[in-house]
């Protein structure tokens, strides 16, 4: 318990200088060649990992700052290289993290906007790379996050519709096990929401 927490905290403290050093080294490369999109994408990845670590240790404001830096790095990659798949997918990841941080800070409308941006970037990724790994699972996860944000704002009907949109994915693709699990959860929760709203016939269909 307490010993584990101290060990984790020590790991967190040790990681921060490493992230800073990695960023410094990549920025040195970018000073030599500002158009090096792969180096800039690597910088964005370092910033994502730092944001994730800060979020895990309950520091949403610091996590948000690191995530915003990553977002800008990926956007700059896309300005140099439109259609860069790593950057598009990375934006989906980092905007989801921004949504989480904003949600933890109680900035719910901004959190919803970021969740929607994450969703749009994952959808762009699967359009460009339909066979790419967990692309559709990421879309489903992003839609689930958007549904959560809508419901946190009291927009229950829109939240349920967003959950139902996850079910549409199942009708068009062969599901991985991770996506099948997410589909089952979305289906169950959408049915629960429909029943809770008195839409019993719709709940039976779901």
């Amino acid at each position: 318990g307490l010993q584990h927490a101290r060990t984790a905290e020590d790991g967190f403290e040790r990681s921060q200088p490493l992230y800073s050093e990695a960023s410094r080294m990549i920025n040195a490369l970018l000073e030599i060649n500002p158009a090096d999109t792969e180096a800039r994408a690597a910088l964005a990845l370092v910033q994502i990992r730092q944001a994730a670590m800060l979020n895990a240790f309950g520091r949403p404001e610091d996590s948000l700052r690191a995530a915003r830096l990553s977002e800008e790095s990926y956007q700059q990659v896309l300005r140099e290289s439109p259609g860069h798949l790593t950057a598009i997918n990375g934006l989906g990841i980092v905007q989801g993290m921004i949504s989480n941080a904003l949600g933890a800070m109680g900035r719910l409308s901004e959190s919803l906007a970021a969740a929607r941006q994450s969703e749009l970037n994952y959808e762009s990724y699967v359009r460009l790379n339909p066979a790419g790994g967990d692309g559709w699972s990421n879309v489903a996860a992003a839609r689930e996050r958007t549904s959560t944000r809508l419901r946190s704002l009291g927009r229950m009907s829109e939240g349920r519709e967003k959950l139902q949109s996850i079910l549409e994915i199942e009708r068009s693709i062969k599901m991985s096990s991770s996506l099948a699990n997410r589909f089952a959860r979305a289906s169950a929760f959408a049915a629960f929401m429909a029943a809770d709203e008195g839409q019993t016939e719709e709940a039976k269909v779901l």
Side-chain angles (χ1 to χ4, degrees), residues 12 50-51 54-55 59-68 105:
F12 170 77
Q50 186 169 26
L54 289 163
N55 182 67
R59 295 168 61 175
E61 294 88 352
D62 293 332
S63 177
L64 179 61
R65 279 191 286 272
R68 290 291 192 197
M105 296 162 65

Side-chain angles (χ1 to χ4, degrees), residues 15-187:
S15 72
Q16 298 312 296
L18 297 176
Y19 287 128
S20 297
E21 178 62 13
S23 296
R24 186 194 66 76
M25 293 174 67
I26 297 170
N27 276 312
L29 292 174
L30 289 169
E31 286 180 11
I32 298 169
N33 181 13
D36 187 342
T37 56
E38 297 311 312
R40 197 168 298 282
L43 176 62
L45 181 58
V46 171
Q47 292 160 336
I48 278 182
R49 289 180 174 172
Q50 186 169 26
M53 178 73 79
L54 289 163
N55 182 67
F57 279 86
R59 295 168 61 175
E61 294 88 352
D62 293 332
S63 177
L64 179 61
R65 279 191 286 272
R68 290 291 192 197
L69 290 173
S70 178
E71 181 182 41
E72 172 55 30
S73 294
Y74 278 131
Q75 287 171 340
Q76 192 162 345
V77 170
L78 289 171
R79 286 194 289 271
E80 296 285 341
S81 181
H84 193 289
L85 288 174
T86 298
I88 293 170
N89 190 63
L91 275 176
I93 295 169
V94 76
Q95 286 162 345
M97 296 176 68
I98 289 170
S99 176
N100 292 342
L102 289 167
M105 296 162 65
R107 294 161 60 178
L108 300 183
S109 294
E110 294 172 83
S111 178
L112 172 60
R116 283 179 161 157
Q117 284 300 312
S118 174
E119 186 181 339
L120 289 172
N121 276 295
Y122 281 136
E123 288 171 352
S124 295
Y125 179 85
V126 295
R127 280 196 298 272
L128 292 169
N129 188 31
D134 291 329
W136 281 110
S137 182
N138 289 337
V139 171
R143 290 182 181 179
E144 189 173 344
R145 180 186 294 110
T146 300
S147 172
T148 299
R149 301 298 180 261
L150 286 163
R151 288 182 280 114
S152 71
L153 288 165
R155 296 160 64 174
M156 306 305 289
S157 179
E158 291 175 79
R160 181 166 55 81
E161 288 172 6
K162 183 59 67 174
L163 278 178
Q164 288 172 329
S165 75
I166 298 174
L167 313 187
E168 296 170 7
I169 298 173
E170 184 268 345
R171 301 183 183 110
S172 59
I173 66 166
K174 182 178 180 181
M175 292 186 293
S176 66
S177 59
S178 62
L179 184 53
N181 289 336
R182 195 171 295 280
F183 166 78
R185 184 168 66 244
S187 180

